[in-house]
Amino acid sequence: MADDPKPLPSVPQSVLELSAFNPVARDNPHPLLKSLREGCPVMRDEGARVWVLSRYKDIRDTVNDRTFVRHPLNADPESITARLVEEGRERRTSILFLDDPDHARIRQPLAKAFYARINRMRPEIEAMVDKVIDAAPASGAFDLMEQVAVPLPVLVIARIIGVDEARLADFRQWSEDVILGLNPVRTSEENARMISSGEALDAYFGELMQARRKAPQDDLVTDMVQLQASGEANVEDDEVRLNLQALLVGGNLTTTDLIGNGIWLLLNHPEQAAALRADPGLAAQAVEEVLRYEAPVQVTSRIVEADRTVAGCPMQKSQPVFMSLAAANRDPDTFEAPDDFDITKKRASHIAFGGGPHICIGAPLARIEARHAFVKLLSRYPNLRLPEQDLAWRTLPFFRGLERLIVES
Ligand code: HEM
């Protein structure tokens, strides 16, 4: 069940060595992360000018500590974090990089509306999962990413937000293009596409807000304009548009990877797939174990607000602190036999969704989709298996997911 015990690689010296830019880490980051956690749990990367934490406790304490800040404008201008700020658009950011009071002002009403809606729409979301999986080939070999894991999250978020059926195809294309924003090595053609689709999406969200003010519907855009009108949400129109886009960008690739990584792990551990088939009540625990074992988002970060000690080391104002969620999730001080993939074992809470005020807002949605997708896929395909294939992990730094996953039944 565990990874093969091999000698550990030497302690990594830079954050990029831990990312998918490094073919070794892309293939399997865990030996490198283990070596970092054991050999240098508070690492200074002078090239990227960031700190890197890898122990669970240090990371848990840091994400929960509200005295750190998040906006890249607070970061050492020579650090890789400062490069996240687009020239001329410095202040325009979603809750992902906002600090209080703006973060709380926007996140609170958004989260309230989003969670109420997800709760109400749960049967409909599960029906969408069924529909996508039922449309995949009934037998033979197919790419699970292409047929299920990629199309599902965008369909669900489109329905939640309230995208009109007639604009679904445009919406899909715009989504794909704006997600290029996560790729730091995009070409100039991709960059141009990202910008123009971002503008199209922004204009479309603006149209939707106007339309829903006139004729309310059962969707998140209506919820937000109604909260604005009642005074419950003190949020500007452009902030609503920007944060709807954040839901789209934050939720698509990540949920895609949760589903892809999960089916890969389950099929690689047939006894675990059998346990889940026999007891679908294990689905929630299975999803948590997948998130722990192969975290789709491998890193998050904070910025030191004033000189202080972090994890026992003196750090200075404006220094960014990167945290390897993937390393924390396999810390043996927190998880017994951390390299075992075991969906039947009760474990401490993983940290794949981050924590504290910035904890992933989409976690409940990702959980609903993945739980239902795992159970549905295993029941629709009683003989689902992995044929021989060269696995291709995505090259996007700090994300862990498959380009393709050929399955066969
Ligand atoms: C398996 C799926 C997902 C994973 C692994 C994931 C992971 C994360 C992580 C690690 C963070 C940063 C937390 C921190 O720094 O403490 C985050 C934030 C965020 N996520 Fe997710 N996410 C997932 C799904 C989603 C979905 C489905 C949505 C939206 C529909 C979403 C939207 C966001 C947003 C908007 C933030 C920023 C929250 C804030 O800063 O207040 N994510 N996510």
Side-chain angles (χ1 to χ4, degrees):
M1 271 192 299
D3 289 338
D4 290 343
K6 294 197 179 100
L8 283 184
S10 54
V11 177
Q13 304 293 310
S14 79
V15 73
L16 278 185
E17 232 181 296
L18 305 171
S19 82
F21 277 161
N22 171 7
V24 177
R26 191 190 316 147
D27 205 29
N28 179 7
H30 300 292
L32 276 170
L33 295 174
K34 183 172 185 191
S35 146
L36 180 71
R37 198 180 50 236
E38 289 179 2
C40 189
V42 186
M43 191 245 292
R44 177 70 185 164
D45 176 345
E46 274 306 339
R49 294 179 69 92
V50 300
W51 292 95
V52 185
L53 306 182
S54 45
R55 281 188 302 228
Y56 181 93
K57 183 180 179 310
D58 295 340
I59 294 180
R60 179 62 80 195
D61 289 349
T62 305
V63 291
N64 282 339
D65 184 335
R66 289 175 172 265
T67 63
F68 286 93
V69 290
R70 189 84 166 121
H71 200 298
L73 277 181
N74 297 300
D76 168 359
E78 302 298 317
S79 68
I80 49 171
T81 302
R83 289 183 223 152
L84 291 168
V85 179
E86 278 179 68
E87 227 172 292
R89 307 180 73 187
E90 288 84 356
R91 286 274 162 212
R92 210 181 124 80
T93 170
S94 72
I95 54 170
L96 182 62
F97 288 128
L98 277 184
D99 293 304
D100 280 346
D102 292 334
H103 180 262
R105 174 177 60 79
I106 299 173
R107 177 160 170 147
Q108 273 167 11
L110 181 68
K112 184 178 165 197
F114 187 53
Y115 293 154
R117 178 147 294 285
I118 290 169
N119 278 338
R120 270 208 313 283
M121 288 181 62
R122 187 183 181 125
E124 201 182 328
I125 295 169
E126 291 178 348
M128 282 187 265
V129 175
D130 289 342
K131 197 170 158 197
V132 169
I133 295 176
D134 285 332
S139 62
F142 64 94
D143 179 0
L144 183 98
M145 303 310 285
E146 185 192 350
Q147 298 288 330
V148 177
V150 171
L152 182 58
V154 69
L155 186 72
V156 171
I157 198 71
R159 172 64 195 95
I160 290 173
I161 289 175
V163 173
D164 297 320
E165 282 293 315
R167 302 305 293 274
L168 200 56
D170 286 336
F171 184 77
R172 269 184 209 282
Q173 187 57 55
W174 296 330
S175 308
E176 253 175 52
D177 294 347
V178 294
I179 289 166
L180 288 167
L182 299 174
N183 182 359
V185 291
R186 56 188 177 266
T187 63
S188 52
E189 184 273 326
E190 286 171 333
N191 200 53
R193 250 194 304 137
M194 176 193 83
I195 292 171
S196 84
S197 286
E199 286 167 359
L201 200 55
D202 200 55
Y204 176 60
F205 284 148
E207 265 173 49
L208 269 184
M209 289 175 74
Q210 292 303 342
R212 298 304 189 258
R213 283 192 178 110
K214 286 196 197 118
Q217 303 279 326
D218 184 18
D219 58 32
L220 186 64
V221 171
T222 304
D223 299 338
M224 290 310 292
V225 296
Q226 287 181 343
L227 285 173
Q228 279 181 307
S230 70
E232 217 183 305
N234 174 19
V235 183
E236 303 289 330
D237 279 10
D238 70 330
E239 293 171 332
V240 173
R241 297 197 304 268
L242 199 59
N243 284 286
L244 291 178
Q245 193 161 316
L247 294 184
L248 187 65
V249 175
N252 275 353
L253 197 63
T254 49
T255 312
T256 292
D257 291 344
L258 169 57
I259 295 170
N261 296 353
I263 292 299
W264 173 67
L265 284 169
L266 287 166
L267 298 185
N268 249 326
H269 298 83
E271 78 293 349
Q272 302 289 315
L276 183 53
R277 269 199 188 94
D279 178 8
L282 282 173
Q285 213 165 288
V287 168
E288 301 314 304
E289 182 65 348
V290 171
L291 285 161
R292 183 190 73 81
Y293 201 81
E294 291 294 355
V297 178
Q298 304 247 296
V299 161
T300 190
S301 66
R302 301 287 187 269
I303 299 164
V304 179
E305 196 186 20
D307 292 4
R308 60 173 293 173
T309 301
V310 179
C313 283
M315 296 191 189
Q316 288 162 9
K317 176 183 163 69
S318 84
Q319 290 182 331
V321 183
F322 275 44
M323 290 164 278
S324 170
L325 304 173
N329 277 347
R330 294 206 191 187
D331 185 339
D333 287 345
T334 304
F335 303 101
E336 195 195 287
D339 295 323
D340 286 359
F341 175 69
D342 186 349
I343 68 166
T344 64
K345 197 168 180 150
K346 293 249 183 300
R347 291 196 180 270
S349 311
H350 62 73
I351 196 159
F353 288 122
H358 286 278
I359 193 168
C360 176
I361 198 172
L365 176 60
R367 287 181 162 124
I368 293 175
E369 290 180 46
R371 285 174 193 167
H372 201 69
F374 291 171
V375 171
K376 170 78 184 175
L377 277 162
L378 293 182
S379 74
R380 169 154 155 86
Y381 300 106
N383 296 312
L384 199 64
R385 56 192 175 271
L386 292 174
E388 275 295 305
Q389 60 192 298
D390 289 330
L391 276 186
W393 293 93
R394 215 178 293 104
T395 47
L396 199 56
F398 308 127
F399 287 80
R400 179 134 174 95
L402 290 158
E403 296 272 7
R404 265 182 323 282
L405 180 63
I406 307 300
V407 293
E408 198 172 53
S409 84

